[in-house]
């Protein structure tokens, strides 16, 4: 489809993901100051789940967002804004009951946020 | 003294690109299987590395660069959640539940391994 050489295309994708990642991780760090403790990671993960849920289903149902945008926003920004490693380490470092509640809440609210993102994308698709 | 935003951002840029590269590689190896191996792999490996850095007592700057930045961005909760919901809605409910549990067990296993290797445990 495109006549751009493969290695230039790869370089472009790498560049787009790196830019998104730069911003996403910094925003997660800012949230950890605004909401101290487990709440900062929780908020970043849930917000990111909603936004990525929307993006993924938007791509499937509507398709207005360009592929390049989804590299910056999805693969770069949102996947870096959310984190599994900090979530897992915080779980281990918490008291057992708190850790269990943290996992249960992150999973339950995170999956629900994806579903809400999906329903927003569906509404958008119906409106077109 | 480097501004924390640059440390986090530089680490994150590398972490995010490495996640993409891992996805390309693992996707090629395990592309026809329905278990999302790529996200599982980054979450387990990233948890192991972050825990190792923490247990080894890495300094503040290194933690911002390699921990908050690189490992935080290498791993992902949003892709993990979208993977799980997609498996569930495709009818693979047992696989969805197993995938959600496997990510947690894998990450905890990685942290446990880091604790053992660094002598923190």
């Amino acid at each position: 489809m495109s006549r751009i050489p493969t290695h230039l295309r790869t370089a472009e994708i790498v560049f787009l993901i790196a830019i998104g990642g730069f911003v996403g991780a910094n925003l997660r760090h800012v949230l950890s100051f605004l909401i101290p403790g487990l709440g900062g990671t929780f908020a970043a993960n849930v917000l990111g789940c909603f936004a990525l849920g929307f993006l993924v289903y938007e791509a499937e149902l509507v398709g207005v967002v360009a592929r390049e945008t989804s590299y910056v926003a999805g693969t770069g920004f949102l996947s870096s804004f959310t984190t599994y490693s900090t979530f897992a380490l915080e779980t281990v470092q918490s008291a057992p009951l708190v850790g269990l509640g943290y996992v249960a809440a992150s999973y339950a609210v995170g999956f629900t946020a994806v579903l809400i993102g999906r329903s927003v994308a569906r509404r958008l698709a119906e409106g077109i | 003294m480097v501004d924390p935003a640059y440390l986090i951002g530089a680490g994150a840029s590398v972490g995010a690109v490495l996640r993409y590269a891992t996805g390309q590689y693992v996707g090629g190896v395990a592309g026809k299987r329905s278990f999302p191996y790529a996200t599982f792999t980054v979450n387990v490996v990233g948890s192991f590395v972050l825990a190792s850095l923490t247990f080894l007592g890495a300094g503040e700057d290194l933690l911002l660069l390699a921990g908050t930045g690189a490992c935080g961005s290498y791993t992902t909760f949003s892709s993990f959640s979208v993977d799980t919901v997609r498996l569930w809605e495709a009818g693979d409910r047992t696989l969805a539940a197993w995938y959600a549990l496997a990510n947690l067990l894998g990450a905890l296993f990685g942290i446990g391994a880091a604790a053992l290797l660094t002598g923190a445990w």
Side-chain angles (χ1 to χ4, degrees):
Chain A
M1 183 178 112
S2 170
R3 289 167 60 198
I4 303 168
T6 315
H7 60 280
L8 274 182
R9 177 68 182 148
T10 305
E12 184 194 21
I13 293 170
V14 163
F15 187 59
L16 294 172
I17 293 172
I19 290 176
F22 193 108
V23 182
N26 268 301
L27 217 59
R28 164 162 43 78
H29 190 60
V30 168
L31 258 188
S32 77
F33 283 114
L34 294 178
I35 313 171
L38 302 176
T41 311
F42 178 81
N45 282 344
V46 169
L47 286 173
C49 282
F50 165 75
L52 191 68
F54 172 77
L55 259 189
V56 165
Y57 286 97
E58 192 282 336
E60 194 174 292
L61 303 168
V62 188
V64 169
V65 175
R67 190 151 182 79
E68 284 72 18
T69 308
S70 78
Y71 279 125
V72 179
T75 317
F77 177 79
L78 289 173
S79 294
S80 296
F81 181 58
T82 64
T83 176
Y84 204 95
S85 51
T86 305
F87 157 75
L89 190 60
E90 284 173 343
T91 300
V92 171
Q93 290 171 334
S94 300
L97 267 183
V98 175
L100 206 64
Y102 182 48
V103 171
S106 295
Y107 272 32
V109 183
F111 298 158
T112 307
V114 173
L115 294 175
I116 296 172
R118 182 183 71 174
S119 80
V120 173
R122 282 189 177 160
R123 292 219 177 143
L124 194 69
E126 282 162 13
I128 288 177
Chain B
M1 182 65 196
V2 183
D3 191 308
Y6 295 131
L7 289 172
I8 294 170
S13 298
V14 175
V17 170
L18 280 179
R19 167 165 36 74
Y20 176 71
T22 305
Q24 296 293 101
Y25 177 72
V26 174
V29 173
K32 283 174 190 148
R33 299 177 195 166
S34 48
F35 187 92
Y37 281 100
T39 306
F40 173 77
T41 303
V42 296
N43 284 348
V44 173
V45 172
S47 297
F48 169 77
V49 176
L50 177 68
S52 300
L53 283 168
T54 306
F55 295 150
L56 285 171
E60 200 179 330
D61 283 3
L62 183 60
L63 268 183
L64 288 174
L65 180 79
T68 310
C71 291
S73 296
Y74 183 62
T75 62
T76 170
F77 197 92
S78 50
S79 297
F80 155 74
S81 297
V82 170
D83 285 344
T84 308
V85 168
R86 303 217 75 160
L87 285 175
W88 184 272
E89 73 173 351
D92 290 330
R93 298 196 168 178
T94 312
L95 189 62
W98 164 236
Y99 175 67
L101 184 65
N103 268 270
L104 185 67
L105 294 179
L108 295 183
F109 179 81
I111 295 170
L116 278 178
L117 287 173
T118 58
W121 198 10

